[in-house]
Amino acid sequence: MTGKLSNGFGAPNGLRKVLKVGIIGLGEIAQISHIQVLNNLSEYYQITYLCDASRQALEHCGKKATGGTPKTTSDPKELITSPDVDVVLLSNVNAFHPSHAILSLQHNKYVLVEKPLALNYRDLDGIISAEKTSEAKVFVGYQRRYAESFLDALKEVGDMDKIEYIRVRDIIGPNHAFVNQSGIYPKKFTDFQEEATADMKATEEEMVKTALVQEYGVKATPQSMSIFRILTGLGVHDLSALREMVGMPTEVLGASLQWPIWNVLFQYQGFPVMYESGIIDVPIFDAHLEIYSKEKIVRVNYDTPYVKGLPVTMTIQERIDGAKGDGFQERTIRKTYEDPFTLEFLEFHHCATHRTSPKTSALDAREDLDLIKIIMQAGQF
């Protein structure tokens, strides 16, 4: 090994470091996607530690990990501080994302946090502060922004002379419609202590009310809290992708924040953006980001992430010269079947082994709270 540089985890250049990953939170997304993806990426990761409040979940998921039997615990600190963990994956409830992310940073461990990173500025700024004194970074799980087609669309839109209009749509069916047909057969467990569950719910509610009342100046009603939770859950996928594509809007022209379908009209410099989203009973996944110019329309098409291998595609519609005048061309591009979760974890590995900051950083996630703030303030509650 003499004379060879290290990648930061003790592996010489040319040899890929297999990162030992600890997972906190073994619910639906961990069972449907994360454990499977990490198992498939066995040249990059090995699941070495699992943490959950449910002993039944630990027993069930412990059997799913490949490459060795992971240790299990109900104590997040035990997992985070263990020398058997290089990086941490937080897929637990929102109430614990800030505290567990900060603890990971305090122990200089890169941490991938499922969205939302935090529900209010207070907690998010605490994470950003902890990151400044850490050797590690936070990686927020906005997997749609790592899709190959989304990256290609960024280039296509960058070549447009002028954007005229953007539509962001995310109207989908209930999760169980896709989960039940995923072929993974996740299980739900109920062996939780009632006191711990009550404390978790109280913590989450306090976080939501802090955002709405103290930071946004919005009344905390059942309707406003429900819409806020869905915007910080489902909505940030769309809002985060929109931000990377064209930045922040100048204002919100109007918002209809109703259940089960809501929409927001943003004004940008020179063009409007319509964001429409909702959850209905029809088992569809109509999620796309569509950018219009006079000469070209670029659309990124997403399918459910709960069924592995469904591709993200890009559709381009444009005017072309025809023999008798203007012609029309439509192209659908699928560069890969690699799903966004796989691509996200590959990028997380690169960041952790090269000690770099991801584009989906804690500071980046703060702008989602900025967007949600102006949306909630535009709503009528």
Side-chain angles (χ1 to χ4, degrees):
M1 301 295 181
T2 303
K4 294 185 177 180
L5 298 177
S6 171
N7 65 10
F9 279 94
N13 280 355
L15 296 179
R16 182 183 297 118
K17 169 66 178 180
V18 177
L19 296 179
K20 296 177 289 186
V21 58
I23 305 175
I24 301 178
L26 303 175
E28 186 172 83
I29 192 60
Q31 293 183 48
I32 283 287
S33 179
H34 294 338
I35 292 175
Q36 180 187 19
V37 170
L38 291 168
N39 284 341
N40 290 344
L41 294 174
S42 58
E43 293 186 1
Y44 297 84
Y45 296 98
Q46 181 182 355
I47 301 172
T48 55
Y49 232 118
L50 299 175
C51 176
D52 198 275
S54 165
R55 298 304 304 177
Q56 294 174 355
L58 289 169
E59 182 179 356
H60 174 73
C61 293
K63 298 175 183 177
K64 300 294 184 180
T66 59
T69 302
K71 295 180 179 180
T72 60
T73 181
S74 59
D75 181 5
K77 185 176 181 180
E78 178 185 327
L79 181 151
I80 291 170
T81 60
S82 172
D84 292 320
V85 171
D86 293 324
V87 295
V88 179
L89 167 60
L90 298 184
S91 54
N92 52 353
V93 294
N94 298 340
F96 300 135
H97 286 182
S99 60
H100 295 164
I102 289 173
L103 187 60
S104 299
L105 291 170
Q106 289 172 341
H107 288 83
N108 298 316
K109 295 186 179 181
Y110 272 67
V111 52
L112 194 157
V113 186
E114 266 299 335
K115 50 77 191 168
L117 175 58
L119 294 170
N120 55 57
Y121 290 121
R122 178 198 64 195
D123 296 333
L124 202 150
D125 288 343
I127 296 170
I128 293 172
S129 178
E131 199 175 51
K132 292 177 181 178
T133 59
S134 176
E135 297 175 9
K137 300 293 181 183
V138 169
F139 188 116
V140 185
Y142 294 143
Q143 81 276 3
R144 290 187 188 181
R145 290 170 61 184
Y146 292 97
E148 195 77 36
S149 292
F150 177 75
L151 301 180
D152 288 343
L154 289 175
K155 299 174 185 176
E156 292 287 341
V157 173
D159 291 337
M160 288 180 173
D161 291 334
K162 183 182 182 299
I163 295 173
E164 300 293 344
Y165 177 68
I166 295 178
R167 181 175 64 191
V168 184
R169 176 180 287 181
D170 202 343
I171 299 176
I172 62 176
N175 270 350
H176 66 77
F178 312 111
V179 171
N180 293 344
Q181 300 177 47
S182 67
I184 304 298
Y185 309 108
K187 294 186 176 182
K188 293 185 177 180
F189 304 98
T190 58
D191 58 326
F192 302 106
Q193 296 181 2
E194 290 185 8
E195 182 178 352
T197 300
D199 288 344
M200 179 271 292
K201 290 181 178 179
T203 298
E204 190 270 350
E205 184 170 307
E206 185 277 334
M207 290 174 167
V208 172
K209 288 181 176 179
T210 293
L212 290 175
V213 179
Q214 297 181 24
E215 298 174 349
Y216 297 0
V218 173
K219 291 181 180 180
T221 66
Q223 181 188 359
S224 68
M225 293 176 71
S226 176
I227 289 293
F228 176 82
R229 287 183 172 112
I230 200 68
L231 287 174
T232 55
L234 173 65
V236 289
H237 278 307
D238 310 300
L239 299 175
S240 178
L242 175 64
R243 285 192 300 101
E244 183 170 356
M245 185 69 71
V246 291
M248 296 287 286
T250 57
E251 61 178 319
V252 173
L253 297 177
S256 175
L257 305 181
Q258 306 293 325
W259 187 265
I261 295 178
W262 53 95
N263 54 49
V264 180
L265 181 60
F266 296 109
Q267 182 63 53
Y268 279 73
Q269 289 286 352
F271 61 91
V273 173
M274 174 57 73
Y275 164 55
E276 51 190 17
S277 186
I279 301 175
I280 58 178
D281 292 335
V282 181
I284 61 168
F285 203 92
D286 186 4
H288 63 257
L289 177 63
E290 194 164 29
I291 303 93
Y292 292 74
S293 71
K294 287 185 177 180
E295 302 294 329
K296 181 188 295 186
I297 303 170
V298 176
R299 173 169 162 161
V300 183
N301 310 286
Y302 293 97
D303 211 323
T304 174
Y306 288 90
V307 178
K308 186 169 174 58
L310 299 180
V312 178
T313 62
M314 176 175 65
T315 302
I316 297 177
Q317 298 174 312
E318 55 193 334
R319 185 194 66 80
I320 59 174
D321 292 329
K324 297 183 178 180
D326 290 345
F328 171 77
Q329 174 178 267
E330 178 175 293
R331 295 177 286 142
T332 297
I333 299 102
R334 186 206 69 235
K335 282 192 172 179
T336 181
Y337 277 109
E338 283 185 303
D339 60 278
F341 277 124
T342 296
L343 297 171
E344 175 186 66
F345 275 108
L346 288 172
E347 183 62 23
F348 180 54
H349 185 279
H350 180 272
C351 289
T353 54
H354 291 79
R355 318 305 284 178
T356 58
S357 297
K359 68 177 183 178
T360 54
S361 65
L363 197 59
D364 171 85
R366 200 179 193 281
E367 292 191 347
D368 287 323
L369 292 187
D370 293 340
L371 271 180
I372 292 170
K373 179 180 180 178
I374 59 176
I375 291 171
M376 295 300 299
Q377 289 174 338
Q380 297 179 359
F381 297 105

